[in-house]
Amino acid sequence: MARKRITPGKIRLTEVAKLAGVSPITASRFFRNPEALSIGKRARVESAAKELGYVPNLAARALASQRTEVIGVLIPSLTNNVFADVLRGIYDALDGSRYSIQLANTRYSILQEERLLRLFLAQKPAGLIVTGINQTADSRHIMESVDCPIVQIMELGSAPVDMMIGFSHFDAGKAAIAHLLDQGYRRIGFLGARMDPRVQRRLDGYRSAMTDAGLFDERLIVTTAVPTSMTLGGALFADLLAKAPDIEAVFCVNDDLALGALFECKRRHMVVPDQMAIVGFNDLEFMASSVPTLTSVRTNRYEMGRNAAMMVLETLAGRRPAESVVDLGFSVIERQSSTRRG
Amino acid sequence: MARKRITPGKIRLTEVAKLAGVSPITASRFFRNPEALSIGKRARVESAAKELGYVPNLAARALASQRTEVIGVLIPSLTNNVFADVLRGIYDALDGSRYSIQLANTRYSILQEERLLRLFLAQKPAGLIVTGINQTADSRHIMESVDCPIVQIMELGSAPVDMMIGFSHFDAGKAAIAHLLDQGYRRIGFLGARMDPRVQRRLDGYRSAMTDAGLFDERLIVTTAVPTSMTLGGALFADLLAKAPDIEAVFCVNDDLALGALFECKRRHMVVPDQMAIVGFNDLEFMASSVPTLTSVRTNRYEMGRNAAMMVLETLAGRRPAESVVDLGFSVIERQSSTRRG
DNA sequence: ACTGATATTGACAGCGCTACCAACCGGTTG
DNA sequence: CAACCGGTTGGTAGCGCTGTCAATATCAGT
């Protein structure tokens, strides 16, 4: 006959209950909902747990209760500073709560995203935070069928799976160009790398603003699927100058490209902003301390992560946020690199 | 009497086994060690699982087997590019394996680290990757008593808890100074931020090299506990100039500080390297594309993460790595910002 | 044919916790 | 005095899987 897999020294809930002189179920309740116990038992269980150094077994809890305290987070990149900030917000919001994070990297692939989504389901997550609004049809079905709060972050769209927090990349791109137009620049180039859906929408914003101003010219646009970097910013800027030597300004879809372009200007002894205006995107910390300082579109990445996590938390606590779609906006931070022409 | 918590439509291992015409335990084995089954049963279970869309319940598996397939990772910062690279290496190494990552942020606090370590234990992780060698005594006890592979990353020390991969920050700091001395610089300043144990050891390296050369001067050192940033680099550099106006070169403990110092030089119309040499640390991508390009100490962060994860994986597979302490080294990448004086 | 060794399969119980329901308690209420 | 109430506590079974061991099948060697 089968053996007893007895583990002699181990402290389980039963041991705590025994020491406290209550039933296991009462001890269990202490850890999940202390208010349900009378003051006396509460104290007894508490001290018993402390004395024994009890650590709850999460697997047993998950199995018995059919749910976990894990919030799945799907982001496209670990390298990108933008997501580092978002993540920091998420981690900060969850700090001290009983929820923990399961992070997965989609590498900008929606197929990979779908695969990871399925993987997450095996764990019955308490909540889900996913990046963007461009999921595969299957991913959408999966998310719609899962019974847990889901927040889509980074951008906005008309059909949230559940909740959503972000800003309009189209409007942000448009606003960057509006600023340059406002400063008197006319021949405004566009530099884009990686070209994920959000960058694409910034390009749409650029296109719209330039077309409205009657200034659109296909030759002003240089993009690549290659991941972004400062070095790439310099290279793309060089390409742009070759295609359109008469450009007066350049809008870069992120700050790395912008700083790369700035250095490329230096290399060519072009003075910024006199001979070339530069606008970046995200407003990373270094934009304020370069020489000259660089104009950028500030996005609220930390807040986005933080709020997304809080929305999940609130929903789990039964207090569903009033607004299921939150627009965090953006702002064009005007600096030396794009001051008025002439 | 108590109810049956029957879940009608759900597919469990039992359902798969039934459809495949085998016992549940055989089906179970298929998912853990397919080679143990005969070819015929293997195919039958496989198709049955696919047909039913079976997804294993990880909580049940963890409870029954008393272990999980989670590797805990403790890092001090989510913002720091250095750890983003390390993480990418870890995630890449684990990609495709059955292990997943549980990430936690110690925020450079060893007390927080200890707390998180205890938290991890509740999950019975399959492995652990922790940053650095400065843990609390309790943390060390905990790690020593846990029965799973542990890798300490980022630096080297004489008493690994289990395995270790990193490089000598002392030697790296010393090498950076040796390079500057070699180029003819004598009054070499030191800029440090955050001052975590690894940065401290780079400072020790600096101190040692300068003392050996008979050039040590306390006034050449400027440090702060504030987290690093480019803006801070400029500020610290300004402080250093105020304390020691005659400095010829500056060693920055990371690249952000170095770039900030470079911009501060620009602001003051000091020519780099003619009037001021700059050396950074980590060799982030942008160091090669700034103007002038910046000398830095290259560290193999991605490889560190990747190898650390692989060491855990190998140990779990029963193939313990021959070397339990791996020195990944570093190299001084000489660029324009520190070319020969005069 | 028999032995021993190896490969393959199955029975059973139990991992540690919680859902569900029942029971109990002192105090009201009709 | 029975019925009722909200607050608190406990009994029982079961969440879905795997460790352990036993049983059976297969095969080579003698």
Side-chain angles (χ1 to χ4, degrees):
Chain A
M1 90 278 82
R3 86 283 85 114
K4 307 282 172 233
R5 264 179 286 168
I6 33 71
T7 9
K10 199 184 293 177
I11 46 260
R12 305 192 301 294
L13 195 50
T14 321
E15 276 69 54
V16 175
K18 203 164 288 171
L19 180 61
V22 299
S23 71
I25 192 68
T26 302
S28 167
R29 274 193 274 261
F30 169 78
F31 293 102
R32 293 175 293 149
N33 181 19
E35 285 74 38
L37 303 205
S38 60
I39 313 286
K41 307 231 165 175
R42 206 182 302 174
R44 303 238 304 279
V45 177
E46 182 164 22
S47 74
K50 186 164 289 174
E51 188 180 332
L52 296 173
Y54 171 69
V55 178
N57 181 318
L58 298 182
R61 179 178 289 178
L63 180 58
S65 67
Q66 298 283 55
R67 51 195 163 64
T68 62
E69 289 170 352
V70 172
I71 294 174
V73 176
L74 283 168
I75 58 167
S77 162
L78 281 169
T79 329
N80 195 325
N81 283 311
V82 167
F83 292 106
D85 288 336
V86 172
L87 267 185
R88 209 159 38 85
I90 296 176
Y91 273 88
D92 280 1
L94 261 46
D95 202 53
S97 82
R98 58 212 180 111
Y99 295 95
S100 65
I101 292 164
Q102 181 82 41
L103 182 65
N105 182 357
T106 66
R107 298 157 197 246
Y108 290 101
S109 153
I110 55 172
L111 261 58
Q112 176 77 348
E113 182 179 57
E114 184 182 319
R115 206 179 64 79
L116 291 168
L117 213 41
R118 289 183 203 283
L119 229 150
F120 270 166
L121 295 198
Q123 315 195 35
K124 300 178 197 293
L128 232 37
I129 295 177
V130 304
T131 302
I133 58 176
N134 293 75
Q135 280 85 25
T136 64
D138 280 1
S139 289
R140 265 200 89 94
H141 291 147
I142 293 171
M143 292 196 287
E144 276 158 4
S145 66
V146 175
D147 178 35
C148 75
I150 301 178
V151 183
Q152 289 167 287
I153 60 170
M154 295 307 290
E155 53 184 319
L156 300 175
S158 53
V161 170
D162 183 7
M163 292 176 283
M164 195 174 257
I165 183 165
F167 64 94
S168 164
H169 291 255
F170 179 88
D171 290 351
K174 207 161 173 172
I177 304 309
H179 161 69
L180 283 169
L181 291 171
D182 201 44
Q183 298 290 309
Y185 299 97
R186 289 293 169 265
R187 292 288 283 173
I188 304 170
F190 179 97
L191 253 44
R194 169 122 274 161
M195 301 314 290
D196 65 65
R198 289 164 293 285
V199 170
Q200 203 72 53
R201 281 186 256 283
R202 287 174 219 158
L203 172 54
D204 293 343
Y206 162 88
R207 190 174 272 130
S208 162
M210 291 295 276
T211 305
D212 289 356
L215 296 169
F216 183 75
D217 178 351
E218 196 64 56
R219 284 166 300 179
L220 295 171
I221 300 175
V222 173
T223 64
T224 172
V226 171
T228 190
S229 74
M230 263 180 61
T231 309
L232 184 66
L236 291 179
F237 182 66
D239 288 357
L240 178 59
L241 275 178
K243 276 177 73 181
D246 61 337
I247 53 164
E248 305 160 358
V250 61
F251 170 47
C252 307
V253 289
N254 67 51
D255 291 340
D256 293 318
L257 294 182
L259 191 51
L262 174 62
F263 279 125
E264 186 62 28
C265 287
K266 286 242 163 79
R267 230 169 271 127
R268 291 163 180 258
H269 306 290
M270 295 172 71
V271 179
V272 174
D274 306 42
Q275 294 167 283
M276 182 62 57
I278 300 177
V279 173
F281 199 97
N282 280 324
D283 196 34
L284 298 184
E285 188 265 345
F286 62 73
M287 299 297 269
S289 67
S290 64
V291 177
T293 57
L294 288 159
T295 297
S296 192
V297 180
R298 176 172 297 167
T299 57
N300 307 296
R301 303 175 298 281
Y302 177 84
E303 290 73 20
M304 188 143 40
R306 197 173 150 77
N307 285 348
M310 279 165 48
M311 285 162 88
V312 170
L313 245 37
E314 288 293 291
T315 306
L316 288 172
R319 295 186 298 271
R320 187 162 173 101
E323 301 294 328
S324 63
V325 177
V326 179
D327 185 348
L328 240 37
F330 57 85
S331 47
V332 178
I333 309 294
E334 307 182 9
R335 297 205 183 88
Q336 296 165 353
S337 71
S338 66
T339 42
R340 186 167 295 280
R341 177 122 223 262
Chain B
M1 91 280 82
R3 85 285 86 110
K4 308 281 171 235
R5 262 179 288 169
I6 33 71
T7 10
K10 199 184 291 177
I11 44 261
R12 306 192 300 293
L13 194 51
T14 321
E15 276 69 53
V16 175
K18 203 164 291 172
L19 180 61
V22 299
S23 72
I25 192 68
T26 301
S28 166
R29 273 193 274 262
F30 169 77
F31 294 102
R32 294 176 291 149
N33 182 18
E35 284 75 37
L37 303 206
S38 60
I39 312 287
K41 306 230 165 175
R42 206 183 301 175
R44 303 236 307 277
V45 176
E46 181 163 23
S47 74
K50 185 163 289 174
E51 187 179 332
L52 296 172
Y54 171 69
V55 178
N57 181 319
L58 298 182
R61 178 179 290 178
L63 179 59
S65 68
Q66 298 283 51
R67 54 195 162 64
T68 63
E69 290 171 350
V70 172
I71 295 175
V73 177
L74 284 168
I75 58 167
S77 163
L78 280 169
T79 328
N80 195 325
N81 284 312
V82 168
F83 293 106
D85 287 337
V86 172
L87 268 186
R88 210 158 39 84
I90 296 176
Y91 273 90
D92 279 1
L94 262 44
D95 202 53
S97 82
R98 58 212 181 111
Y99 294 95
S100 66
I101 293 163
Q102 181 82 41
L103 181 66
N105 181 356
T106 66
R107 297 157 199 248
Y108 289 99
S109 154
I110 56 173
L111 262 58
Q112 176 76 349
E113 182 180 57
E114 184 182 319
R115 206 179 63 77
L116 290 167
L117 212 42
R118 288 184 204 281
L119 229 148
F120 271 166
L121 295 197
Q123 316 194 35
K124 302 178 194 294
L128 233 36
I129 296 177
V130 304
T131 302
I133 58 177
N134 293 75
Q135 281 85 25
T136 64
D138 281 1
S139 288
R140 264 201 89 94
H141 291 148
I142 294 172
M143 292 196 287
E144 276 157 3
S145 66
V146 176
D147 177 36
C148 74
I150 300 178
V151 184
Q152 289 168 289
I153 61 169
M154 295 308 289
E155 54 184 320
L156 300 175
S158 52
V161 170
D162 183 7
M163 292 174 284
M164 195 174 258
I165 183 165
F167 64 94
S168 164
H169 291 254
F170 179 89
D171 291 351
K174 206 161 173 171
I177 305 309
H179 161 68
L180 283 168
L181 291 171
D182 201 44
Q183 298 291 308
Y185 298 96
R186 289 293 168 266
R187 293 287 284 172
I188 303 170
F190 179 96
L191 252 44
R194 170 124 274 158
M195 301 314 289
D196 65 65
R198 288 163 294 287
V199 171
Q200 203 72 52
R201 280 186 256 282
R202 286 174 218 159
L203 172 54
D204 292 344
Y206 162 89
R207 190 174 273 128
S208 163
M210 291 296 275
T211 305
D212 288 356
L215 296 169
F216 183 74
D217 178 350
E218 195 64 57
R219 284 167 300 180
L220 294 172
I221 299 176
V222 173
T223 65
T224 171
V226 171
T228 190
S229 73
M230 264 179 60
T231 309
L232 184 66
L236 291 179
F237 183 65
D239 287 358
L240 177 59
L241 276 178
K243 279 176 73 179
D246 61 339
I247 53 163
E248 304 159 359
V250 61
F251 170 47
C252 307
V253 288
N254 66 51
D255 292 339
D256 293 317
L257 294 182
L259 191 52
L262 173 62
F263 279 124
E264 186 62 28
C265 286
K266 285 239 163 85
R267 229 169 272 129
R268 291 163 180 259
H269 306 291
M270 295 173 72
V271 179
V272 175
D274 305 43
Q275 295 166 284
M276 183 61 57
I278 300 178
V279 173
F281 199 98
N282 279 325
D283 196 33
L284 298 185
E285 187 265 344
F286 63 73
M287 299 298 268
S289 68
S290 65
V291 177
T293 56
L294 289 159
T295 296
S296 192
V297 179
R298 177 171 296 169
T299 57
N300 307 296
R301 303 175 297 281
Y302 177 84
E303 290 72 20
M304 187 144 38
R306 197 174 149 77
N307 285 348
M310 278 165 50
M311 285 162 89
V312 170
L313 245 36
E314 288 293 291
T315 305
L316 288 171
R319 297 185 296 271
R320 184 159 175 104
E323 301 294 328
S324 64
V325 176
V326 178
D327 186 348
L328 240 36
F330 57 86
S331 47
V332 178
I333 308 294
E334 307 182 10
R335 297 206 184 87
Q336 296 165 352
S337 70
S338 67
T339 43
R340 184 167 296 280
R341 180 120 222 260

